[in-house]
């Protein structure tokens, strides 16, 4: 069992309520980060605000020695949706039937509150701890993610700050707290394919060229490609057509073009370049006249089993008795930016069943264990100096 000093049982709950009450719809922060910085400065953190493009970012660090353990997260939330669909105001934190309701309760203001209180407890018990602790908090995760974590990582890299471990507080748990951690995420690559034809009357097809007819066999070939077989941590890369559009709306007109939108979710077994090349090869083989615009939403990242996963898994087991599963499922996260400057990045947070939904909530009884897991992980990574 841990011997760390323990904060009052309401410390995490009180802080997460304060954060939920601030309507920080992306990219707004509504002084959430100022509240966090004020508390962290009291326990020896040096806090720096990095603002750009209407986005607020906080870099708070305590200590200068290696290794550096970082907690990362976001204060911005998605819009609440129709207020009348909520059983209580989404920005009035409300306790009901053992749950705390409010936008951001699960994604991810509870994790941020747990970060801060865990750091407070850890520093109180180990003021002379080894290494350093930092928090990287942005208000641009739910939005374009252009002026948020990415620019902070660029700034840290430029001045030579070396990150060793990072826990991103995304809500990763499924059925119970601690059952799933994310040690990687798939990349996202989207394409907009426009196949050119020649518009004409359906009664005179020899005077027209139907792009739908041309696209169909090429698309069937692409759908059937095995892109890779995945690896120990990732499932095989997937390709999905998300939209297909052509025609004028009339039944007697051969369309002049056909447009397909598609997306790859790809593992570290493939690269954006290899996927693009194989698509172009298929289209060229079918002799299509086309334009293809690509958008890389995020590259995959992976942290193999190692010291961070062991420290976190042990903390979860000691606190909850749950044996955690390492997973790479789901969408993208800011972990993709941090992984470029940090060798070990893992996402871990509360249950995700209600994230982005009406009546978002978190089980109140999970707040203390969540905080304790973060604190125990610090204890495992940064022992007291002898």
């Amino acid at each position: 069992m841990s011997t760390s000093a323990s904060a009052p049982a309401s410390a995490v709950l009180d802080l997460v309520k304060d954060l939920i009450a601030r309507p920080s719809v992306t990219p707004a922060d509504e002084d959430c980060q100022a509240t966090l910085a004020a508390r962290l400065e009291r326990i020896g953190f040096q806090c720096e605000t990095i603002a750009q493009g209407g986005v607020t970012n906080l870099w708070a660090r305590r200590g200068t020695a290696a290794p550096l353990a970082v907690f990362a997260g976001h204060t911005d939330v998605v819009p609440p949706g129709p207020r009348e669909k909520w059983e209580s105001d989404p920005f009035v934190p409300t306790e009901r039937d053992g749950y705390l309701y409010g936008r951001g309760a699960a994604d991810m203001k509870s994790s941020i509150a747990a970060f801060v209180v865990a750091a407070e407890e850890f520093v109180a018990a180990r003021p002379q701890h080894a290494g350093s602790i930092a928090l990287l908090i942005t208000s641009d995760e739910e939005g374009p993610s252009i002026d948020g974590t990415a620019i902070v990582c660029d700034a840290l890299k430029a001045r030579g700050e070396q990150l060793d471990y990072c826990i991103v507080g995304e809500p990763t748990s499924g059925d119970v707290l601690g059952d799933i951690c994310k040690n990687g995420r798939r990349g996202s690559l989207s394409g907009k394919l426009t196949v050119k034809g020649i518009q004409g009357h359906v009664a005179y097809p020899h005077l027209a060229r139907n792009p739908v007819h041309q696209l169909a066999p090429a698309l069937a070939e692409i759908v059937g490609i095995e892109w890779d077989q995945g690896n120990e941590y990732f499932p095989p890369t997937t390709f999905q057509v998300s939209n297909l559009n052509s025609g004028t709306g009339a039944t007697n007109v051969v369309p002049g073009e056909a447009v397909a939108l598609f997306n790859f979710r790809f593992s570290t077994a493939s690269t954006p370049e290899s996927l693009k090349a194989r698509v172009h090869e298929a289209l060229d083989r079918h002799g299509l006249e086309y334009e293809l615009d690509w958008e890389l939403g995020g590259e995959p990242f992976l942290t193999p089993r190692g010291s961070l996963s062991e420290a976190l898994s042990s903390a979860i087991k000691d606190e909850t008795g749950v044996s955690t599963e390492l997973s790479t499922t789901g969408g993208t996260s800011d972990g993709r930016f941090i992984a470029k400057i940090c060798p070990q990045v893992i996402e871990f947070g509360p249950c995700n069943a209600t994230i982005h939904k009406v009546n978002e909530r978190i089980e109140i009884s999970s707040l203390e264990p969540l905080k304790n897991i973060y604190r125990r992980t610090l204890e495992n990574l940064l022992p007291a100096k002898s």
Side-chain angles (χ1 to χ4, degrees), residues 1 4 11 24 30 61 100 133 192 227 260 273 326 329 353:
M1 297 294 292
S4 291
S24 54
E30 299 294 335
R61 177 167 179 164
L100 176 64
I133 312 169
K192 178 182 180 181
W227 305 96
E273 292 72 26
L326 296 180
T329 60

Side-chain angles (χ1 to χ4, degrees), residues 22-284:
R22 301 169 186 269
S24 54
V25 175
T26 190
D29 170 68
E30 299 294 335
D31 289 328
C32 288
Q33 293 175 27
T35 298
L36 304 177
R39 292 181 67 144
L40 292 169
E41 286 172 345
R42 289 198 291 268
I43 58 171
F45 280 77
Q46 300 294 315
C47 296
E48 173 186 3
T49 295
I50 302 173
Q52 179 172 298
V55 171
T56 306
N57 303 294
L58 172 66
W59 174 247
R61 177 167 179 164
R62 185 182 195 274
T64 58
L68 172 57
V70 180
F71 291 120
H74 59 90
T75 50
D76 60 322
V77 298
V78 295
R83 297 294 180 101
E84 66 273 13
K85 299 291 186 180
W86 285 74
E87 295 180 17
S88 53
D89 191 305
F91 296 113
V92 176
T94 303
E95 295 184 45
R96 188 167 63 250
D97 301 324
Y99 290 90
L100 176 64
Y101 288 79
R103 177 56 85 221
D107 189 13
M108 58 179 292
K109 291 182 173 180
S110 291
S111 293
I112 291 175
F115 288 164
V116 172
V117 180
E120 290 171 339
E121 291 186 2
F122 178 76
V123 169
R126 297 184 180 181
Q128 302 301 319
H129 60 82
S132 305
I133 312 169
L135 275 75
L136 194 171
I137 309 295
T138 184
S139 70
D140 183 33
E141 197 275 344
E142 299 291 7
S145 300
I146 295 172
D147 296 313
T149 299
I151 69 160
V152 178
C153 290
D154 288 343
L156 296 176
K157 181 179 180 180
R159 63 196 191 197
E161 290 199 60
Q162 176 61 53
L163 283 61
D164 297 286
Y165 312 111
C166 182
I167 296 176
V168 184
E170 288 292 340
T172 61
S173 298
D175 296 327
V176 296
L177 178 68
D179 58 355
I180 297 174
C181 298
K182 306 285 187 179
N183 66 320
R185 294 276 190 164
R186 294 176 297 175
S188 176
L189 176 65
S190 297
K192 178 182 180 181
L193 171 64
T194 303
V195 178
K196 302 294 185 178
I198 298 175
Q199 183 173 315
H201 197 295
V202 296
Y204 301 94
H206 59 289
L207 299 178
R209 188 174 77 239
N210 194 318
V212 176
H213 294 182
Q214 290 190 303
L215 173 59
L219 193 56
E221 178 181 328
I222 294 170
V223 169
I225 293 175
E226 180 184 68
W227 305 96
D228 57 51
Q229 295 183 339
N231 54 37
E232 177 185 359
Y233 297 100
F234 285 99
T237 292
T238 61
F239 170 89
Q240 289 292 317
V241 176
S242 55
N243 189 279
L244 192 59
N245 184 58
S246 186
T248 64
T251 60
N252 61 350
V253 179
V254 173
E257 67 177 28
V259 179
L261 305 181
F262 59 84
N263 178 265
F264 286 101
R265 291 303 165 109
F266 64 102
S267 72
T268 51
S270 289
T271 66
E273 292 72 26
S274 68
L275 298 174
K276 290 178 183 180
R278 294 179 73 181
V279 170
H280 281 285
E281 288 170 4
L283 296 174
D284 293 342

